Amino acid sequence: MKVLVLGLPRTGTQSLADALTHIGFGPVYHMREVGRNNHQALWIEAIEDKFEGKGRPWGREEFERILAGYEGVADYPPAIFPEELMAAYPEAAVILTVRDEDSWMASMESTLWHLYQSRPADDPSPMNQLSRKYHEHCWGGDLPKYGKEAFRKHNELVREAAKGRKFLEFGVGQGWEKLCEFLGVEVPEGVKWPRSDDWVDYKKMVDKERKEKEGRDKRI
């Protein structure tokens, strides 16, 4: 393992994962990999072991059941386990992706939180069950009320746990120069920073729904 990207979702983790892969620090395990590899049950097990005491805390042996062959991690579910991953992979550099908390909250509410609320609790799909686990344990099942506090606490936890490590706090939009300097590699010539976001179409749909609702409310 070479790089642990431990910022929360919606802080540029997907673009950063793609950027890391482009400069030779891949493959990177991102949320996209969960469904592709049918890893939902393993991550639910990890969450239950951490928060519900159903098993022992995870170390390198347990994480390697999921992460073997990857050179980096980013986004959820890995970011739920910052201290555990840093302990399991002491050789890895640590990157904390950060963002203004108001814009982070707006982005979360129009993506992960909206999807979570739109699905019935008894939906048996593995991804829905994983989603319910992390929403429950990361902000008590109430992102609007507890999300910003959880965001701040998470970032401080990573900063504290990463003391003495090769560490970078990376803001959205800082681009190739900052990242490549940190990792000691050349900036790729003529390559634009990736603008990856699997949620683009979903956010457009949510925004359309919101505008339609506002229009109906005005007519009432």
Side-chain angles (χ1 to χ4, degrees):
M1 187 67 66
K2 294 180 179 179
V3 184
L4 302 172
V5 179
L6 298 176
L8 293 185
R10 312 311 303 163
T11 58
T13 56
Q14 187 174 341
S15 294
L16 180 54
D18 290 345
L20 286 167
T21 300
H22 186 82
I23 57 176
F25 291 83
V28 176
Y29 193 102
H30 183 272
M31 175 62 88
R32 293 172 291 188
E33 301 299 310
V34 177
R36 290 174 185 172
N37 294 286
N38 296 314
H39 283 165
Q40 296 94 331
L42 284 170
W43 285 114
I44 288 172
E45 179 185 339
I47 290 171
E48 290 179 342
D49 288 349
K50 175 172 180 171
F51 294 103
E52 300 174 20
K54 292 190 175 182
R56 67 178 186 178
W58 279 35
R60 191 173 188 129
E61 180 181 349
E62 289 80 17
F63 282 119
E64 282 292 287
R65 294 161 61 196
I66 301 172
L67 302 176
Y70 289 91
E71 295 193 348
V73 300
D75 202 79
Y76 271 2
I80 298 171
F81 304 91
E83 293 172 299
E84 294 87 349
L85 285 169
M86 279 189 260
Y89 299 102
E91 74 281 7
V94 178
I95 299 177
L96 173 63
T97 46
V98 293
R99 181 177 185 176
D100 170 78
E101 67 178 36
D102 290 327
S103 65
W104 173 80
M105 175 63 79
S107 184
M108 285 289 291
E109 288 184 326
S110 65
T111 54
L112 280 79
W113 182 248
H114 185 277
L115 180 61
Y116 167 72
Q117 289 191 303
S118 69
R119 286 177 170 175
D122 59 357
D123 175 355
S125 67
M127 195 61 79
N128 183 57
Q129 295 307 308
L130 173 58
S131 169
R132 302 199 76 81
K133 282 291 181 181
Y134 67 69
H135 281 293
E136 174 187 346
H137 288 296
C138 292
W139 27 76
D142 192 341
L143 177 78
K145 185 174 182 179
Y146 299 113
K148 287 184 180 181
E149 179 184 3
F151 181 72
R152 290 190 292 267
K153 286 183 176 180
H154 175 88
N155 290 346
E156 285 304 315
L157 184 153
V158 174
R159 292 181 186 114
E160 184 65 28
K163 287 182 177 178
R165 299 281 293 250
K166 186 175 174 63
F167 174 73
L168 173 68
E169 192 160 319
F170 190 79
V172 173
Q174 287 187 298
W176 289 115
E177 288 76 12
K178 187 86 171 179
L179 178 65
C180 292
E181 178 185 4
F182 172 68
L183 294 173
V185 298
E186 295 293 324
V187 174
E189 292 187 16
V191 179
K192 292 184 178 180
W193 182 261
R195 300 294 180 186
S196 310
D197 187 356
D198 288 341
W199 291 92
V200 168
D201 291 337
Y202 193 90
K203 287 191 291 184
K204 289 179 180 177
M205 179 197 73
V206 173
D207 187 55
K208 181 180 178 182
E209 288 179 354
R210 178 182 59 78
K211 289 178 179 178
E212 290 174 349
K213 182 178 184 303
E214 289 175 351
R216 292 194 298 269
D217 291 344
K218 288 179 180 179
R219 292 193 295 270
I220 294 175

